[in-house]
Amino acid sequence: MVSTEPDDVVAFGPFRLHREHRRLFCGAEEVQLGGRAMEMLVTLARKKGEIVQKEELYNAAWPGIFVHEANLKVTIASLRRALREYSPAEDYIRTFVGRGYWLSDQIVAENIPSIADLPVVANTRFPELGTVIGRDVEIAELRDSIATNRLTTIVGPGGIGKTTVAVATAQLFEDEEGGFVTFIDLARVAGEEFVIPSVAAAFGISSSSQDRLEAISSILARRKTLLLLDTCEHVLNAVAHLCDVVLANTRDVRILATSRQALRAKREEVLWLSPLEVPPPGRSYTSEQVLLYSAPQLLVERASEKGKYTIEDRDASAVAEICRRLDGSPLAIELVSSWLTGRSAPDVLGELDDRFTTLIGRGEDGPLRQQTLLATLEWSYALLTKSEAAVLRAVSIFMGTFDMDAVVSVAIHYGLDPTTVFDAVAGLRAKSMLSVEQMSGGMRYRLLDSTRAFAGNLLEASGELPVVSEAHARLVLGIFTRASVDRTRLPARQWHAAYASHADDLRRAIGWALFLRGDPLLGMQLVASGIPLWHELSSSEEARSNCEHALAEFDRIGCDDRSLKLKLIVGLAAVSSYISADAEKAIRTFETAIQLSREIGDTNAECQALGALARYRLLPGNQTEVQKILKELKRVAARSHNRLAQWEHEFLRTELDIIHCQYPPAIARMEKLRQQLRNASEGSVSRFDLDPRIRSETAISALMWLGSRRPGTGLSGARIIAREALEAHHGWTLIYSYAHGILFVLSECQEWAQAKYYSVLLKDTIYRHGMPAWIPVANCHIEALDALSGVRKDPDGVMSAFDELRTGLRQIGRHVYYALLIRALYANGHTDEGMRILDYLFEVGPQRSMVPELLRLRAVKERSAGRDDDAIATLRQSLQAAEDNGAWGWRIRSATDLAAVLKDRLRFDDAKSVLEPIYRQFVDGFDTPDLQRAGNLLTELRNFGRVPRS
């Protein structure tokens, strides 16, 4: 078949590389790569399927420059990491030791990776590294330390290159040892009390404070992970405590920290990082001689990158002296390197000497090397133009990367026109005060942490912080106002890529405007605009807390913007349907949202509130008033042509059908909806509440197993959608699909390993997204599966899970979870404990859909007690209930148990007449455990029929 791709486009797996434009896409989303990683990928792509020698890759990434092989390995590791964010189970770059690398077209992955193969957090981005110079020995030493010690701290003064060495080593660990690295920057943590919340936030955990440490340990516990904690010196005690707890509760976790002081934690190994090598004083140097030392290598390399600088013999001694003046500090060298592009080395040395004499001679506190870095920053700042200095102060407000439009927005109060701001940014780039990253959507900029802290102090000291904070908050509001519009036109993953990176800036803006009351109205508007982001990130607790605080502030200031209030109440209602333990308060919220939406005439908000109320009512399996709510939802959705609300009605109607055991109409409804979703454009299928396609497939798989004669179709569907729910990277969707269908099917089909794997993921996701009330569901499956698979035989864990479910949130009390616990107890001979759970369920009144299975489990106990006649009567009841409900999954199971009892009573014909008519009606799934057992029993019964009776 002839390729339809342009000649410059290279395809591999889900990726498309546009070589000429240096852009890489996975589907519609652009993959962000650093410059050198992109050059290496382009070089590999030119010879896709062939070995590319290392020399070719060196020439592509570092033309005309000699660099150590560690740089090549680090860059390849960075490239692999970027590709794995989009295709985590596959590796497209193969290594041929000693020769080179090979870009493969497709690596076939196993169906289910091990638990250690999953990243602990999505899209953990490292700082982009330049060429790593003079650190080969330290990187090798650090790799050895990580291999033998669970906690290693790199210690050294500011600007010495701790982060560079740590990140380079971490990327090699990830690439060569198959572990995952989570990078957490603690530089902007204000105090000890914010360390654990900040680490939790990096993992996406929004649980309450008492849950965070447990959640962090739980997420890390079953994975080979390197946790990289950067810049810890100002929060030593809290970081040491965190390390002690995590290491005590995990096995395969390594922690690498960077700090200006040792943590003094248990099991800590300290690696002291020295400055780069400088030439000894007292002699003259040629250019060749001076470049034998790593500090001049870095200075010349950075200057050549910025201005094509070339060292000559007449400059060599001055270059050596500059490096000595800077004490071999890599950050100070980076800052000074830009000045070599417009001045001779002796001139730069003279200016540096004059400035240092003034600054260091004033008796500043702190070590000499730290004074050197501060002096270098102050010297670099003093050489900026007025507009460059103003822009540097303004951009210190940003928490992450930012683009040129954002710079213009926060610098507007200086009266600078856009052209002047553009020139200022170019000047800051040239002078190493700004770093640049090529990302999807264009060029973005960032400040190094030391530079941000330095410029932030200047911003506050100048009295400009309030006005810049306001400009920043209004900029963020504009970003998320656009985000709200883009919800209806962009696919979920593309929307995530465009807006999730602004989460920290949103938090900072809300903190200033709302919590510090810099501008309460603006703060409330920011909260309302951020609701779609928190839904996308499944940040339930953050959404709840911000909405409640904004509503309180709304009343405090007497705001009369009812449209704004409605957005906040609907946002609160949306999360309340999943996390609220206060039923009366939740229902008041829903009803207030419905009433206000009707007063304003906002049918979209009314649909959201009606759906949230119906969902909340349905969760525990109750249908009181749900029929009326759903009828109203359908009416409003149809009148307003709200397709998302119409789909929501179909989902909720299906859940009600399941409660009433109306399986065929539920299947028909979901299959019809499945077709509608397939025909809908990707952008219109919003997943900001729950991903509708995954939700429909989850329902179909569970319904096919339980309520149809095609359990094999249900099992295969559950296997597929379990993986897709994971790859969707949407917490609420994963929690819903795993807890409401996938684990049910996998457990009933005795897929113990896969079910356990997904149960652990469920627990991690619940922790991450602030929904700890759902932990009993995850624990129920984990404990039951350990018992059923023989990992644990005592009843304590299962009974503890039962108590958690029984006393937990009413909204999660589905009796299918209890049935799984009973089977787990029975499997290890703990029938009395199983009967305790069974008696409890019949006392409170079993849910109708579970009556056949619970009766069958009662018969198991009766038979174990030698009461076969009682067991036969109970099984007939169970079989009749299953038939009345249309529950084929329970029907074949009860029929098999009944036939087995009859066979043991030598009633072979009766046994066949019970089992055979039911078994014959199944269409697929004959390799599932229930049908296998039924088939084997029928074979026995037929063989008994052929044996002459005595």
CSV table of all heavy atoms in Angstrom, one decimal, residues 264-284:
chain,number,residue,atom,x,y,z
A,264,ARG,N,19.6,14.7,57.7
A,264,ARG,CA,19.7,14.0,59.0
A,264,ARG,C,18.5,13.0,59.2
A,264,ARG,O,18.0,12.9,60.3
A,264,ARG,CB,19.8,15.0,60.2
A,264,ARG,CG,21.0,15.9,60.0
A,264,ARG,CD,21.2,16.7,61.3
A,264,ARG,NE,22.3,17.7,61.1
A,264,ARG,CZ,23.6,17.4,61.2
A,264,ARG,NH1,23.9,16.2,61.4
A,264,ARG,NH2,24.4,18.4,61.0
A,265,ALA,N,18.1,12.4,58.1
A,265,ALA,CA,17.1,11.4,58.2
A,265,ALA,C,17.7,10.0,58.4
A,265,ALA,O,18.9,9.8,58.2
A,265,ALA,CB,16.3,11.4,56.9
A,266,LYS,N,16.9,9.0,58.8
A,266,LYS,CA,17.4,7.7,58.9
A,266,LYS,C,17.8,7.1,57.6
A,266,LYS,O,17.3,7.4,56.5
A,266,LYS,CB,16.2,6.8,59.5
A,266,LYS,CG,15.7,7.2,60.8
A,266,LYS,CD,14.5,6.3,61.2
A,266,LYS,CE,13.9,6.8,62.5
A,266,LYS,NZ,12.7,6.0,62.9
A,267,ARG,N,18.9,6.3,57.6
A,267,ARG,CA,19.4,5.6,56.4
A,267,ARG,C,19.9,6.6,55.3
A,267,ARG,O,20.0,6.2,54.2
A,267,ARG,CB,18.4,4.7,55.8
A,267,ARG,CG,17.9,3.6,56.8
A,267,ARG,CD,16.9,2.7,56.2
A,267,ARG,NE,15.6,3.2,56.5
A,267,ARG,CZ,14.4,2.5,56.2
A,267,ARG,NH1,14.5,1.4,55.6
A,267,ARG,NH2,13.3,3.0,56.6
A,268,GLU,N,20.2,7.8,55.7
A,268,GLU,CA,20.6,8.8,54.7
A,268,GLU,C,22.1,8.7,54.3
A,268,GLU,O,23.0,8.6,55.2
A,268,GLU,CB,20.4,10.2,55.2
A,268,GLU,CG,20.8,11.3,54.2
A,268,GLU,CD,20.7,12.7,54.8
A,268,GLU,OE1,20.6,12.8,56.0
A,268,GLU,OE2,20.6,13.7,54.0
A,269,GLU,N,22.4,8.6,53.0
A,269,GLU,CA,23.8,8.7,52.5
A,269,GLU,C,24.0,10.0,51.9
A,269,GLU,O,23.2,10.5,51.1
A,269,GLU,CB,24.0,7.6,51.5
A,269,GLU,CG,25.4,7.5,50.9
A,269,GLU,CD,26.4,6.9,51.9
A,269,GLU,OE1,26.0,6.3,52.9
A,269,GLU,OE2,27.6,7.1,51.6
A,270,VAL,N,25.0,10.7,52.3
A,270,VAL,CA,25.3,12.1,51.8
A,270,VAL,C,26.4,12.1,50.8
A,270,VAL,O,27.4,11.6,51.0
A,270,VAL,CB,25.6,13.0,53.0
A,270,VAL,CG1,25.9,14.4,52.5
A,270,VAL,CG2,24.5,13.1,54.0
A,271,LEU,N,26.1,12.8,49.6
A,271,LEU,CA,27.1,13.0,48.6
A,271,LEU,C,27.3,14.5,48.5
A,271,LEU,O,26.4,15.3,48.1
A,271,LEU,CB,26.6,12.5,47.2
A,271,LEU,CG,27.5,12.8,46.0
A,271,LEU,CD1,28.8,12.0,46.2
A,271,LEU,CD2,26.8,12.3,44.7
A,272,TRP,N,28.6,14.9,48.8
A,272,TRP,CA,28.9,16.3,48.8
A,272,TRP,C,29.4,16.7,47.4
A,272,TRP,O,30.3,16.1,46.9
A,272,TRP,CB,30.0,16.6,49.8
A,272,TRP,CG,29.6,16.4,51.3
A,272,TRP,CD1,29.7,15.3,52.0
A,272,TRP,CD2,28.9,17.3,52.1
A,272,TRP,NE1,29.2,15.4,53.2
A,272,TRP,CE2,28.7,16.7,53.3
A,272,TRP,CE3,28.6,18.7,52.0
A,272,TRP,CZ2,28.1,17.3,54.4
A,272,TRP,CZ3,28.0,19.3,53.1
A,272,TRP,CH2,27.7,18.6,54.3
A,273,LEU,N,28.7,17.7,46.8
A,273,LEU,CA,29.0,18.1,45.5
A,273,LEU,C,30.0,19.3,45.5
A,273,LEU,O,29.7,20.3,46.1
A,273,LEU,CB,27.7,18.5,44.7
A,273,LEU,CG,27.8,18.6,43.2
A,273,LEU,CD1,28.2,17.3,42.6
A,273,LEU,CD2,26.5,19.1,42.6
A,274,SER,N,31.1,19.0,44.8
A,274,SER,CA,32.1,20.1,44.7
A,274,SER,C,31.9,21.0,43.6
A,274,SER,O,31.2,20.7,42.6
A,274,SER,CB,33.5,19.4,44.6
A,274,SER,OG,33.8,18.5,45.7
A,275,PRO,N,32.6,22.2,43.6
A,275,PRO,CA,32.5,23.0,42.4
A,275,PRO,C,33.2,22.4,41.2
A,275,PRO,O,33.9,21.4,41.3
A,275,PRO,CB,33.3,24.3,42.8
A,275,PRO,CG,33.4,24.2,44.3
A,275,PRO,CD,33.4,22.8,44.7
A,276,LEU,N,32.9,23.0,40.0
A,276,LEU,CA,33.7,22.5,38.8
A,276,LEU,C,35.1,22.8,39.0
A,276,LEU,O,35.5,23.7,39.7
A,276,LEU,CB,33.1,23.2,37.6
A,276,LEU,CG,31.6,22.8,37.2
A,276,LEU,CD1,31.2,23.7,36.1
A,276,LEU,CD2,31.5,21.4,36.9
A,277,GLU,N,35.9,22.1,38.3
A,277,GLU,CA,37.4,22.3,38.4
A,277,GLU,C,37.8,23.6,37.7
A,277,GLU,O,37.3,24.0,36.6
A,277,GLU,CB,38.1,21.2,37.6
A,277,GLU,CG,38.0,19.8,38.3
A,277,GLU,CD,38.7,18.7,37.5
A,277,GLU,OE1,38.6,18.8,36.3
A,277,GLU,OE2,39.4,17.9,38.1
A,278,VAL,N,38.7,24.4,38.4
A,278,VAL,CA,39.2,25.6,37.9
A,278,VAL,C,40.7,25.5,37.8
A,278,VAL,O,41.4,24.8,38.5
A,278,VAL,CB,38.8,26.8,38.8
A,278,VAL,CG1,37.3,27.0,38.9
A,278,VAL,CG2,39.4,26.6,40.2
A,279,PRO,N,41.3,26.2,36.8
A,279,PRO,CA,42.7,26.1,36.6
A,279,PRO,C,43.4,26.8,37.8
A,279,PRO,O,43.0,27.8,38.4
A,279,PRO,CB,43.0,27.0,35.4
A,279,PRO,CG,41.7,27.0,34.7
A,279,PRO,CD,40.6,27.0,35.8
A,280,PRO,N,44.5,26.2,38.3
A,280,PRO,CA,45.3,26.8,39.4
A,280,PRO,C,45.8,28.2,39.1
A,280,PRO,O,46.1,28.5,37.9
A,280,PRO,CB,46.4,25.8,39.6
A,280,PRO,CG,46.0,24.5,39.0
A,280,PRO,CD,45.1,24.9,37.8
A,281,PRO,N,45.9,29.0,40.1
A,281,PRO,CA,46.4,30.4,39.8
A,281,PRO,C,47.9,30.4,39.6
A,281,PRO,O,48.6,29.4,39.8
A,281,PRO,CB,46.0,31.2,41.1
A,281,PRO,CG,46.0,30.1,42.1
A,281,PRO,CD,45.5,28.9,41.5
A,282,GLY,N,48.5,31.6,39.2
A,282,GLY,CA,49.9,31.7,39.2
A,282,GLY,C,50.6,31.3,37.9
A,282,GLY,O,51.8,31.2,37.9
A,283,ARG,N,49.9,31.1,36.8
A,283,ARG,CA,50.5,30.8,35.6
A,283,ARG,C,49.6,31.2,34.4
A,283,ARG,O,48.4,31.5,34.6
A,283,ARG,CB,50.7,29.3,35.5
A,283,ARG,CG,49.5,28.4,35.7
A,283,ARG,CD,49.8,26.9,35.4
A,283,ARG,NE,49.9,26.7,33.9
A,283,ARG,CZ,49.9,25.5,33.4
A,283,ARG,NH1,49.8,24.5,34.1
A,283,ARG,NH2,50.0,25.4,32.0
A,284,SER,N,50.2,31.2,33.2
A,284,SER,CA,49.5,31.6,32.0
A,284,SER,C,49.0,30.3,31.3
A,284,SER,O,49.6,29.2,31.5
A,284,SER,CB,50.4,32.4,31.1
A,284,SER,OG,50.7,33.6,31.7
